Amino acid sequence: MIPDSRTATTATTATTAATAGAADGLAPLPVAEVARLGAEVLERVESVVVGMREPLLIALATVLAGGHVLFEDVPGLGKTLAARSIASAVGLDFRRLQCTPDLLPSDITGSFVYVPSTAEFEFRPGPVFTGLFLADEINRTSPKTQSALLEAMAEGQVSVEGRSFALPRPFHVVATANPIESEGTYALPEAQLDRFMVRLGVGYPDADGETRVLLARVARRHEVATVEPVTDARTLLAMQTGVERVDVDPDIAAYCVALAAATRRHRSVEVGASPRGSQGLLLVARALAVLAGRDYVIPDDVKRVAVPVLAHRLTLTVQAWTSGVSASQVVLEVVSSVPGPPAVGVRERETAP
């Protein structure tokens, strides 16, 4: 039964108006201010998330670049806490959905329900209508349900019963996945993986870091750790706009293309990184440069994010997979074999104080 068009239009108009209102009149923040706020966000998050400096920095850079983040690592390393802490620090509304095999697409997007008092169908938004949506253990739900996020991640909207509903801005997805279990899990399709700008591993903390985790839990005397906001959604949009105003040297862009192209020719790769991969390299590297206080990107920025941006986009050959070759190893080989842009280095030395 088709929902009443008046109800759908009203819901769409309200959401779109809220989105437009958040973006109107925003002036881009200068690089120095974006770097200052970014450093403060990281400091707040690191007060509760210990031993994850590099993943947190790249995750924040991804958010500033307008992308989505996949944390893939074993349970108990603080992936969910990291996502919640980043959302709190940047002032975004946060919703978490525990993915299970019986989850339906409508449990994410929302659905139309019949309202007897008005004799009309009314759209009830799902949890994806938020600033930062955490899909916890995303590989525990079916590909059909995983695909409900594709439109949201790519276009910032969801479509239900032929109607489109805009999501709030900014909107970001952070998902977690457990790579060590196969029982009751579904591998993410390549199309779904490609929507994540980066895939990050957390890794175990060292002994000192793990000790700090224990002592911090004892000191706060309760389970839930909280982070005070540094910015709000409007300021985050201004930070993202500031990052977008930073130009990139054509040689850096060509270097990103060369890295992505090299993955397509690698002997261990069946399907290499797409142009979305080279674009992700450029965007995350630019945001990383801004967080470092620079209004220009250097080759080391690109190299630093190459594995998180490219590895999950590669499909290895059967021979490579059975030989124990990992996609991360392939990307590292590519980075070491593709020469960086020498012209950029010359210009940096000429302009250095």
Side-chain angles (χ1 to χ4, degrees):
M1 190 170 184
I2 299 176
D4 183 84
S5 60
R6 292 171 297 173
T7 306
T9 303
T10 301
T12 305
T13 302
T15 306
T16 304
T19 301
D24 283 347
L26 282 178
L29 291 182
V31 168
E33 183 64 7
V34 175
R36 185 190 68 80
L37 291 172
E40 193 170 345
V41 166
L42 285 174
E43 182 181 352
R44 295 279 180 92
V45 174
E46 286 187 303
S47 67
V48 298
V49 182
V50 178
M52 289 176 56
R53 175 73 184 187
E54 186 70 6
L56 290 175
L57 176 62
I58 295 178
L60 178 59
T62 302
V63 169
L64 291 179
H68 310 287
V69 180
L70 174 63
F71 283 110
E72 185 176 272
D73 219 317
V74 298
L77 296 181
K79 301 184 295 294
T80 302
L81 177 60
R84 186 172 64 242
S85 300
I86 290 174
S88 299
V90 297
L92 293 180
D93 291 333
F94 172 80
R95 291 189 183 181
R96 171 182 177 272
L97 184 66
Q98 182 64 51
C99 295
T100 56
D102 60 346
L103 202 67
L104 298 175
S106 59
D107 294 326
I108 294 177
T109 62
S111 59
F112 283 92
V113 297
Y114 182 74
V115 181
S117 60
T118 61
E120 294 181 344
F121 284 88
E122 178 181 309
F123 180 68
R124 299 287 174 85
V128 76
F129 285 83
T130 187
L132 192 148
F133 175 70
L134 172 61
D136 216 355
E137 296 188 292
I138 191 173
N139 57 333
R140 288 197 177 278
T141 194
S142 67
K144 177 182 179 180
T145 303
Q146 292 171 10
S147 66
L149 285 171
L150 287 174
E151 183 183 13
M153 296 170 71
E155 302 176 31
Q157 66 176 27
V158 297
S159 297
V160 180
E161 297 288 348
R163 308 290 179 180
S164 295
F165 302 91
L167 296 170
R169 290 182 57 214
F171 168 75
H172 299 279
V173 173
V174 176
T176 67
N178 179 1
I180 63 172
E181 292 185 24
S182 58
E183 187 74 23
T185 62
Y186 304 84
L188 270 68
E190 285 76 7
Q192 180 72 64
L193 278 173
D194 201 43
R195 291 301 192 278
F196 288 101
M197 191 171 281
V198 297
R199 181 180 65 182
L200 297 169
V202 176
Y204 289 102
D206 57 24
D208 289 340
E210 193 164 353
T211 301
R212 287 171 55 198
V213 172
L214 302 184
L215 293 178
R217 170 62 182 87
V218 172
R220 66 176 177 264
R221 303 189 187 282
H222 55 81
E223 182 62 33
V224 179
T226 58
V227 174
E228 293 298 320
V230 175
T231 68
D232 54 21
R234 187 177 179 84
T235 305
L236 179 60
L237 277 175
M239 293 172 69
Q240 293 174 333
T241 305
V243 172
E244 288 289 348
R245 295 296 178 93
V246 175
D247 291 327
V248 177
D249 192 289
D251 287 344
I252 291 291
Y255 181 48
C256 294
V257 171
L259 289 174
T263 66
R264 303 164 200 161
R265 300 189 299 267
H266 196 279
R267 63 189 179 279
S268 298
V269 175
E270 184 174 330
V271 180
S274 67
R276 186 179 285 133
S278 55
Q279 178 174 276
L281 271 179
L282 188 69
L283 296 180
V284 181
R286 181 177 61 177
L288 201 62
V290 172
L291 287 175
R294 285 184 275 106
D295 61 355
Y296 58 91
V297 181
I298 61 177
D300 282 348
D301 295 325
V302 178
K303 294 176 183 179
R304 191 173 181 179
V305 301
V307 171
V309 172
L310 295 180
H312 65 290
R313 305 176 193 273
L314 307 184
T315 301
L316 302 183
T317 63
V318 175
Q319 294 84 350
W321 184 79
T322 55
S323 300
V325 176
S326 70
S328 297
Q329 291 173 331
V330 171
V331 175
L332 291 175
E333 285 184 22
V334 165
V335 169
S336 65
S337 63
V338 175
V344 175
V346 170
R347 281 193 288 275
E348 288 166 6
R349 287 193 294 272
E350 290 175 348
T351 58

